[in-house]
Amino acid sequence: MEGCPYKLRVVRYHEQWEENGKETERFMWLVTTLEAADYRVLWEMMHRVWDIEENGFHQLKTYYHAKALLLSRCG
């Protein structure tokens, strides 16, 4: 990517699971600057972030009446 001071790595994931007796799948792409991290570690990190976003922010909005949340993953 032109002008980017970092080397970017793109990892593509394909997940499959059974849900309600039906085979389900999804493809995901992860862009990172972590060159040496194993793809399994990156997958785990990605899913843990989702848990925080889905559960933590849901609780903030539901139980603590947060109106808006501003997030930044840069820097």
Side-chain angles (χ1 to χ4, degrees):
M1 200 159 59
E2 190 174 322
C4 182
Y6 305 103
K7 182 177 178 182
L8 298 178
R9 175 181 170 198
V10 178
V11 183
R12 180 177 172 228
Y13 293 97
H14 178 224
E15 292 184 328
Q16 295 177 300
W17 68 96
E18 190 171 310
E19 187 174 309
N20 299 324
K22 183 180 176 186
E23 189 71 24
T24 306
E25 68 178 347
R26 72 175 156 215
F27 292 90
M28 295 167 291
W29 289 262
L30 173 70
V31 179
T32 183
T33 56
L34 299 173
E35 295 179 37
D38 186 80
Y39 73 92
R40 291 170 289 230
V41 172
L42 293 171
W43 181 89
E44 183 68 30
M45 290 169 60
M46 179 174 60
H47 277 272
R48 288 184 184 199
V49 167
W50 286 354
D51 286 342
I52 292 168
E53 289 175 351
E54 290 182 17
N55 298 320
F57 298 138
H58 171 73
Q59 287 184 10
L60 285 171
K61 287 172 37 180
T62 303
Y63 302 111
Y64 299 99
H65 309 292
K67 299 287 183 202
L69 299 169
L70 178 62
L71 300 176
S72 174
R73 292 188 186 173
C74 301

